[in-house]
Amino acid sequence: MSQVISVRDIQEMIRTGQGVNIPDDALVTPSARDFLSELQTNGGMNGSNGASNGKSNGSKNGNSPYVGGEHLAPPDKKLNSKSPKSELQAFFNSPYAHHLKEQICEMGHRLWKREYVDGNGGNMAIRVGEDIAICTPTLVSKGSLKPEDMCLVDFDGNQLLGTKKRTSEILMHLQMMKRQPQAIATCHCHPPYATAFAIVGQAPPTCMLPEYEVFCSVGVAPYRTPGSPDMGKLVADLTDQYNTILMANHGVVTWSHNNIEEAYWRMEIIEAYCRTIVVAGQLGKPINTFTGPQMKEILNIKQSLGFVDPRFSMKECELCDSGDWRPGAMCEATQSTEPTIGLDPDAEAAVKAITDQILAQMK
Ligand SMILES: [Zn+2]
C-alpha cells in the first residue's frame, strides 16, 4: 500500500532538516499538495527572507524552506558590491537567489493579473547584501517575468550581473534601501484607485478599515521625473515614517522589513481600501470612523508587528480626523504637497522629457 503524505509529514521533514523527499508512489493529500506548491513558490514568505542582516536564516517561524533537499537560506558570508565577481556570480546562480527571483516573478504576475501595472510598468527589488540588490529588468511586462530576467545591482544602480538591463526606476528603490536600513524589499506599481489619490496629491483618509491601518502607513511624495535621483530622494526621505508612498501623478511604492510578498500585500491593501472608500463615499450615508481608543488599539498591533507609523506617538484624540471625507471634498491635509504637473506650466516639458526617456530606452 502507498505511503500517505500529509502536511504534518512535510512539516516534520522540514523541521528535522532532512529535506522534502516524497517517494514516487506516495499518495499526497490535497492540502499537502497545496502546501508543497506554496513552499516552492513562496518558500520564505511566512518568515523573513533575512537577506539584509545575516542574522536571520529564514527560519524565524520554524518554516525554513527546504525544497528538494536544498536549504534556501541566505549565504553565510555577507556579500557586497566589492565582493569578488566569482562570489557574486555563485550567489546570483545559487538556489537561494533563484528562490528570491521566483518570488519577484510571482509578485510580478500577481501585479499584472490585478491590473496594477500596464505596459512594462512596475518594478521590484530585494536587498541581498550590504549594498547590493536583485531587481526587475526594464521593458519586460510583469505578467511575463522569468527568473533569468533578473538583474543584480549595487546601491548606485550599476548593474553587476544579469543579461537584461535593470529597471530605469531602480535608483528610487536603492535610495529607499540606503535611507531605511530595515527595507528588505520594495515594490512599485500603478494601481488605478490609489494612483487616483496620488494624482490629486492626497493620502486617503484614515480610521475606516483596520487592515489598511495595520499594514499601510501612507505618505505623499511630490512629482519628479520617474527614475531621477530627485524622485528617489523625496521618496526615501519618507521611509522612516511611511511604508506606502503615493508618488504624485505617478503611482505607489511600498517597502517591507520582511519580504517582497509583504511589500506586494501593501499594494493590494491600499488599492482595495481606496476603491472601498470611494464607493462608501457615494452611498449617501455618513461615514463611520474609528474612535480614538479603537484606533489606538489598532496602532498597538501595528507597532508590535514592527511596522512604521508617524501616529504611534499621538494622543488618542488626535488620531481620527477624517470623518467628513467625501469624494471631491478634501479631508484635512496631513502633509504639504508641491504643485502637481497638471497645473504647472512646465507640464508639457515634463511629459516630453518622460516620453523622450522611454523612447530612448526602446531604441
Ligand atoms: Zn512607475
Side-chain angles (χ1 to χ4, degrees), residues 117-118 120-123 167 169 172-173 188-190 226-227 247 250-252:
V117 285
D118 30 70
N120 65 316
N123 27 76
T167 168
E169 287 187 277
M172 173 179 73
H173 297 260
H188 161 61
C189 64
H190 316 133
M247 302 156 72
H250 182 170
V252 188

PDB file of all heavy atoms in Angstrom, residues 117-118 120-123 167 169 172-173 188-190 226-227 247 250-252, ligand 1:
ATOM      1  N   VAL A 117      -0.337  47.090 -13.061  1.00  0.00           N
ATOM      2  CA  VAL A 117       0.746  47.526 -13.941  1.00  0.00           C
ATOM      3  C   VAL A 117       0.256  47.474 -15.380  1.00  0.00           C
ATOM      4  O   VAL A 117      -0.661  46.727 -15.704  1.00  0.00           O
ATOM      5  CB  VAL A 117       2.001  46.623 -13.819  1.00  0.00           C
ATOM      6  CG1 VAL A 117       2.747  46.901 -12.536  1.00  0.00           C
ATOM      7  CG2 VAL A 117       1.638  45.162 -13.924  1.00  0.00           C
ATOM      8  N   ASP A 118       0.873  48.267 -16.224  1.00  0.00           N
ATOM      9  CA  ASP A 118       0.471  48.309 -17.622  1.00  0.00           C
ATOM     10  C   ASP A 118       1.721  48.470 -18.457  1.00  0.00           C
ATOM     11  O   ASP A 118       2.715  49.021 -17.990  1.00  0.00           O
ATOM     12  CB  ASP A 118      -0.471  49.494 -17.835  1.00  0.00           C
ATOM     13  CG  ASP A 118      -0.127  50.608 -16.864  1.00  0.00           C
ATOM     14  OD1 ASP A 118       0.931  51.226 -17.031  1.00  0.00           O
ATOM     15  OD2 ASP A 118      -0.895  50.824 -15.900  1.00  0.00           O
ATOM     16  N   ASN A 120       5.185  48.015 -19.657  1.00  0.00           N
ATOM     17  CA  ASN A 120       6.307  47.434 -18.908  1.00  0.00           C
ATOM     18  C   ASN A 120       6.390  48.049 -17.521  1.00  0.00           C
ATOM     19  O   ASN A 120       7.414  47.967 -16.850  1.00  0.00           O
ATOM     20  CB  ASN A 120       7.622  47.637 -19.668  1.00  0.00           C
ATOM     21  CG  ASN A 120       7.980  49.106 -19.766  1.00  0.00           C
ATOM     22  OD1 ASN A 120       7.104  49.925 -20.053  1.00  0.00           O
ATOM     23  ND2 ASN A 120       9.213  49.456 -19.518  1.00  0.00           N
ATOM     24  N   GLY A 121       5.309  48.706 -17.083  1.00  0.00           N
ATOM     25  CA  GLY A 121       5.303  49.441 -15.810  1.00  0.00           C
ATOM     26  C   GLY A 121       5.527  48.551 -14.599  1.00  0.00           C
ATOM     27  O   GLY A 121       5.340  47.341 -14.647  1.00  0.00           O
ATOM     28  N   GLY A 122       5.931  49.183 -13.504  1.00  0.00           N
ATOM     29  CA  GLY A 122       6.129  48.493 -12.235  1.00  0.00           C
ATOM     30  C   GLY A 122       7.534  47.925 -12.116  1.00  0.00           C
ATOM     31  O   GLY A 122       8.142  47.545 -13.122  1.00  0.00           O
ATOM     32  N   ASN A 123       8.052  47.891 -10.913  1.00  0.00           N
ATOM     33  CA  ASN A 123       9.363  47.285 -10.673  1.00  0.00           C
ATOM     34  C   ASN A 123       9.511  46.912  -9.211  1.00  0.00           C
ATOM     35  O   ASN A 123       8.794  47.432  -8.356  1.00  0.00           O
ATOM     36  CB  ASN A 123      10.510  48.209 -11.133  1.00  0.00           C
ATOM     37  CG  ASN A 123      10.126  49.665 -11.108  1.00  0.00           C
ATOM     38  OD1 ASN A 123      10.072  50.273 -10.048  1.00  0.00           O
ATOM     39  ND2 ASN A 123       9.810  50.227 -12.266  1.00  0.00           N
ATOM     40  N   THR A 167      15.859  47.881 -14.354  1.00  0.00           N
ATOM     41  CA  THR A 167      14.810  48.880 -14.487  1.00  0.00           C
ATOM     42  C   THR A 167      15.367  50.297 -14.357  1.00  0.00           C
ATOM     43  O   THR A 167      16.288  50.545 -13.569  1.00  0.00           O
ATOM     44  CB  THR A 167      13.704  48.667 -13.425  1.00  0.00           C
ATOM     45  OG1 THR A 167      12.867  49.809 -13.400  1.00  0.00           O
ATOM     46  CG2 THR A 167      14.275  48.473 -12.026  1.00  0.00           C
ATOM     47  N   GLU A 169      13.920  52.677 -13.025  1.00  0.00           N
ATOM     48  CA  GLU A 169      13.470  53.288 -11.768  1.00  0.00           C
ATOM     49  C   GLU A 169      14.203  52.725 -10.558  1.00  0.00           C
ATOM     50  O   GLU A 169      13.802  52.968  -9.417  1.00  0.00           O
ATOM     51  CB  GLU A 169      11.951  53.113 -11.609  1.00  0.00           C
ATOM     52  CG  GLU A 169      11.164  54.002 -12.550  1.00  0.00           C
ATOM     53  CD  GLU A 169       9.668  53.969 -12.286  1.00  0.00           C
ATOM     54  OE1 GLU A 169       8.998  53.048 -12.779  1.00  0.00           O
ATOM     55  OE2 GLU A 169       9.173  54.856 -11.589  1.00  0.00           O
ATOM     56  N   MET A 172      15.314  54.803  -7.254  1.00  0.00           N
ATOM     57  CA  MET A 172      14.351  55.060  -6.174  1.00  0.00           C
ATOM     58  C   MET A 172      14.368  53.920  -5.152  1.00  0.00           C
ATOM     59  O   MET A 172      14.428  54.159  -3.942  1.00  0.00           O
ATOM     60  CB  MET A 172      12.960  55.214  -6.775  1.00  0.00           C
ATOM     61  CG  MET A 172      11.863  55.326  -5.739  1.00  0.00           C
ATOM     62  SD  MET A 172      10.279  55.527  -6.541  1.00  0.00           S
ATOM     63  CE  MET A 172       9.995  53.888  -7.198  1.00  0.00           C
ATOM     64  N   HIS A 173      14.347  52.672  -5.635  1.00  0.00           N
ATOM     65  CA  HIS A 173      14.349  51.515  -4.725  1.00  0.00           C
ATOM     66  C   HIS A 173      15.625  51.512  -3.877  1.00  0.00           C
ATOM     67  O   HIS A 173      15.592  51.243  -2.682  1.00  0.00           O
ATOM     68  CB  HIS A 173      14.281  50.213  -5.532  1.00  0.00           C
ATOM     69  CG  HIS A 173      13.017  50.075  -6.333  1.00  0.00           C
ATOM     70  ND1 HIS A 173      11.952  49.311  -5.906  1.00  0.00           N
ATOM     71  CD2 HIS A 173      12.652  50.583  -7.527  1.00  0.00           C
ATOM     72  CE1 HIS A 173      10.997  49.358  -6.824  1.00  0.00           C
ATOM     73  NE2 HIS A 173      11.385  50.132  -7.819  1.00  0.00           N
ATOM     74  N   HIS A 188       6.981  48.678  -6.651  1.00  0.00           N
ATOM     75  CA  HIS A 188       6.382  49.890  -7.222  1.00  0.00           C
ATOM     76  C   HIS A 188       5.437  49.516  -8.358  1.00  0.00           C
ATOM     77  O   HIS A 188       5.774  48.680  -9.198  1.00  0.00           O
ATOM     78  CB  HIS A 188       7.472  50.830  -7.741  1.00  0.00           C
ATOM     79  CG  HIS A 188       6.955  51.838  -8.714  1.00  0.00           C
ATOM     80  ND1 HIS A 188       5.996  52.764  -8.371  1.00  0.00           N
ATOM     81  CD2 HIS A 188       7.232  52.054 -10.024  1.00  0.00           C
ATOM     82  CE1 HIS A 188       5.713  53.501  -9.432  1.00  0.00           C
ATOM     83  NE2 HIS A 188       6.442  53.085 -10.451  1.00  0.00           N
ATOM     84  N   CYS A 189       4.260  50.120  -8.380  1.00  0.00           N
ATOM     85  CA  CYS A 189       3.329  49.878  -9.491  1.00  0.00           C
ATOM     86  C   CYS A 189       2.319  51.033  -9.563  1.00  0.00           C
ATOM     87  O   CYS A 189       2.454  52.023  -8.845  1.00  0.00           O
ATOM     88  CB  CYS A 189       2.642  48.530  -9.346  1.00  0.00           C
ATOM     89  SG  CYS A 189       1.584  48.403  -7.903  1.00  0.00           S
ATOM     90  N   HIS A 190       1.319  50.866 -10.424  1.00  0.00           N
ATOM     91  CA  HIS A 190       0.364  51.950 -10.674  1.00  0.00           C
ATOM     92  C   HIS A 190      -1.067  51.464 -10.494  1.00  0.00           C
ATOM     93  O   HIS A 190      -1.853  51.470 -11.448  1.00  0.00           O
ATOM     94  CB  HIS A 190       0.553  52.490 -12.095  1.00  0.00           C
ATOM     95  CG  HIS A 190       1.984  52.698 -12.503  1.00  0.00           C
ATOM     96  ND1 HIS A 190       2.498  52.282 -13.704  1.00  0.00           N
ATOM     97  CD2 HIS A 190       3.028  53.269 -11.844  1.00  0.00           C
ATOM     98  CE1 HIS A 190       3.784  52.606 -13.782  1.00  0.00           C
ATOM     99  NE2 HIS A 190       4.127  53.189 -12.664  1.00  0.00           N
ATOM    100  N   PRO A 226      10.106  60.280 -13.224  1.00  0.00           N
ATOM    101  CA  PRO A 226      10.402  58.913 -12.774  1.00  0.00           C
ATOM    102  C   PRO A 226      11.839  58.531 -13.111  1.00  0.00           C
ATOM    103  O   PRO A 226      12.325  58.808 -14.206  1.00  0.00           O
ATOM    104  CB  PRO A 226       9.410  58.055 -13.568  1.00  0.00           C
ATOM    105  CG  PRO A 226       8.281  58.979 -13.872  1.00  0.00           C
ATOM    106  CD  PRO A 226       8.901  60.341 -14.051  1.00  0.00           C
ATOM    107  N   GLY A 227      12.508  57.914 -12.158  1.00  0.00           N
ATOM    108  CA  GLY A 227      13.879  57.444 -12.386  1.00  0.00           C
ATOM    109  C   GLY A 227      14.934  58.490 -12.041  1.00  0.00           C
ATOM    110  O   GLY A 227      16.121  58.179 -12.031  1.00  0.00           O
ATOM    111  N   MET A 247       3.275  58.447  -5.013  1.00  0.00           N
ATOM    112  CA  MET A 247       4.141  59.344  -5.772  1.00  0.00           C
ATOM    113  C   MET A 247       3.226  60.178  -6.663  1.00  0.00           C
ATOM    114  O   MET A 247       2.582  59.652  -7.573  1.00  0.00           O
ATOM    115  CB  MET A 247       5.104  58.511  -6.628  1.00  0.00           C
ATOM    116  CG  MET A 247       5.947  57.573  -5.771  1.00  0.00           C
ATOM    117  SD  MET A 247       6.517  56.170  -6.720  1.00  0.00           S
ATOM    118  CE  MET A 247       7.741  56.980  -7.741  1.00  0.00           C
ATOM    119  N   HIS A 250       1.926  59.720 -10.446  1.00  0.00           N
ATOM    120  CA  HIS A 250       2.699  58.581 -10.928  1.00  0.00           C
ATOM    121  C   HIS A 250       2.142  57.246 -10.423  1.00  0.00           C
ATOM    122  O   HIS A 250       1.549  56.494 -11.187  1.00  0.00           O
ATOM    123  CB  HIS A 250       4.167  58.784 -10.518  1.00  0.00           C
ATOM    124  CG  HIS A 250       5.080  57.705 -10.996  1.00  0.00           C
ATOM    125  ND1 HIS A 250       6.442  57.793 -10.923  1.00  0.00           N
ATOM    126  CD2 HIS A 250       4.825  56.495 -11.540  1.00  0.00           C
ATOM    127  CE1 HIS A 250       6.984  56.706 -11.414  1.00  0.00           C
ATOM    128  NE2 HIS A 250       6.020  55.901 -11.795  1.00  0.00           N
ATOM    129  N   GLY A 251       2.289  56.930  -9.155  1.00  0.00           N
ATOM    130  CA  GLY A 251       1.859  55.616  -8.682  1.00  0.00           C
ATOM    131  C   GLY A 251       2.187  55.432  -7.216  1.00  0.00           C
ATOM    132  O   GLY A 251       2.207  56.400  -6.452  1.00  0.00           O
ATOM    133  N   VAL A 252       2.473  54.196  -6.835  1.00  0.00           N
ATOM    134  CA  VAL A 252       2.687  53.870  -5.429  1.00  0.00           C
ATOM    135  C   VAL A 252       3.978  53.066  -5.295  1.00  0.00           C
ATOM    136  O   VAL A 252       4.292  52.249  -6.160  1.00  0.00           O
ATOM    137  CB  VAL A 252       1.514  53.013  -4.883  1.00  0.00           C
ATOM    138  CG1 VAL A 252       1.627  52.825  -3.368  1.00  0.00           C
ATOM    139  CG2 VAL A 252       0.172  53.607  -5.244  1.00  0.00           C
TER     140      VAL A 252
HETATM  141 ZN    ZN B   1       6.247  53.871 -12.292  1.00  0.00          ZN
END
